[in-house]
Amino acid sequence: DGLNTFYGIYAGSWNNNATSNQSTKISIFNNAIYNIDVDNGLTYGIPLWNDDYNNSSNDTFLIYHNTISLNNAGNNPTTAGIFFNDAYINNVNDNPIYLKNNLVTISGGGTSTTANRYGILINDFNNINSPIEGQRNNVYLSPSTTGNQYFARRNSVNYPTLANYQAAWPTQELGSLAVNPQYVSEATGDLTPNNMALVGNGVNLLSVVPVDINGKNRSSSPVPGAFEIGADAGVTALLTPTGTFCSSVKAVSVSIKNLGTLTINNVQIG
């Protein structure tokens, strides 16, 4: 049997002290959440809470380059890749949240026609507009999954598609995609995307996330999600010279292999 409820990476800020002037930076980078089995309960990949009842904190959320695959949505009443809950009694929110270069997929069986699936779910207290900067997040909702599917929900409004969300929030998700990433092998934990449409679709976050989940260098035009892909050439063997030789200038030949996923037309060594 599966879990009753799943809160993946659960983070937040709670502050009821009007004089604390608390300032917190919450950074969530390069995580892979997958193979989650929940039986008819709430399922949140990355749930975030920001309950500042006296508006006295100055918190920042940085949610970058995470891969969230909720592949067993089943009959769960609510499934969300990224969930953000704001509670502001005085209707003021100056605590920004940045959602960039994340990859969310929701799929799975079940027969419920009333279950709700959200790529991104944002609950604003009293429908205030939280300062959210969402860019280049790829959200894919499998058409085979039952229930109601939405790219996002914000201010109590459902947005079934990326285009719907962009029309309502024209400064958000500019250039984003909503494609099937085609993971290499989710069952074994390799959530590297095979869909070449994602190559170079991310925004430049090298200053804060220079490598991926495996320590692979990212480029200035990265792939959304925790796993970077690209053209990587590697030397696999020294062919010549062979045997014992004296120190001198010699011609060297090596065997090179493409260790990446893109076509390589030329390679510079040295």
Side-chain angles (χ1 to χ4, degrees), residues 167-219:
W169 303 88
T171 63
Q172 301 296 299
E173 301 297 348
L174 301 177
S176 297
L177 298 174
V179 300
N180 185 347
Q182 303 168 9
Y183 299 126
V184 171
S185 177
E186 183 171 2
T188 60
D190 188 353
L191 277 74
T192 303
N194 263 327
N195 192 330
M196 294 299 104
L198 292 170
V199 175
N201 190 248
V203 295
N204 186 350
L205 297 176
L206 281 175
S207 62
V208 286
V209 193
V211 298
D212 77 348
I213 192 172
N214 293 318
K216 183 177 183 178
N217 290 333
R218 293 195 182 276
S219 71

Side-chain angles (χ1 to χ4, degrees), residues 127-266:
N127 285 337
I128 62 172
N129 291 326
S130 301
I132 295 175
E133 175 70 13
Q135 301 295 351
R136 301 302 175 98
N137 298 293
N138 185 90
V139 173
Y140 176 73
L141 305 169
S142 173
S144 64
T145 304
T146 61
N148 306 306
Q149 301 197 61
Y150 308 103
F151 174 87
R153 177 181 174 87
R154 184 170 182 179
N155 283 11
S156 302
V157 177
N158 292 325
Y159 301 98
T161 68
L162 169 61
N164 296 146
Y165 187 74
Q166 290 170 326
W169 303 88
T171 63
Q172 301 296 299
E173 301 297 348
L174 301 177
S176 297
L177 298 174
V179 300
N180 185 347
Q182 303 168 9
Y183 299 126
V184 171
S185 177
E186 183 171 2
T188 60
D190 188 353
L191 277 74
T192 303
N194 263 327
N195 192 330
M196 294 299 104
L198 292 170
V199 175
N201 190 248
V203 295
N204 186 350
L205 297 176
L206 281 175
S207 62
V208 286
V209 193
V211 298
D212 77 348
I213 192 172
N214 293 318
K216 183 177 183 178
N217 290 333
R218 293 195 182 276
S219 71
S220 58
S221 299
V223 175
F227 296 79
E228 186 69 20
I229 59 178
D232 292 326
V235 175
T236 59
L238 174 65
L239 302 179
T240 61
T242 61
T244 303
F245 50 87
C246 297
S247 175
S248 63
V249 177
K250 295 184 179 295
V252 175
S253 62
V254 297
S255 175
I256 298 175
K257 182 178 181 179
N258 183 352
L259 303 175
T261 57
L262 302 181
T263 300
I264 298 176
N265 297 316
N266 56 76

Side-chain angles (χ1 to χ4, degrees), residues 21-64:
N21 294 320
Q22 173 181 314
S23 180
T24 303
K25 178 181 287 186
I26 299 175
S27 302
I28 302 177
F29 307 151
N30 279 342
N31 296 282
I33 300 173
Y34 62 101
N35 284 351
I36 308 303
D37 187 5
V38 178
D39 289 336
N40 301 322
L42 299 177
T43 305
Y44 299 138
I46 299 181
L48 307 169
W49 260 256
N50 197 10
D51 294 347
D52 180 16
Y53 289 98
N54 292 298
N55 306 312
S56 56
S57 69
N58 185 20
D59 304 322
T60 301
F61 293 79
L62 306 178
I63 315 301
Y64 297 160

Side-chain angles (χ1 to χ4, degrees), residues 111-139:
T111 58
S112 174
T113 58
T114 60
N116 295 311
R117 330 290 192 191
Y118 305 98
I120 301 171
L121 173 57
I122 301 167
N123 284 342
D124 281 332
F125 190 84
N126 284 346
N127 285 337
I128 62 172
N129 291 326
S130 301
I132 295 175
E133 175 70 13
Q135 301 295 351
R136 301 302 175 98
N137 298 293
N138 185 90
V139 173

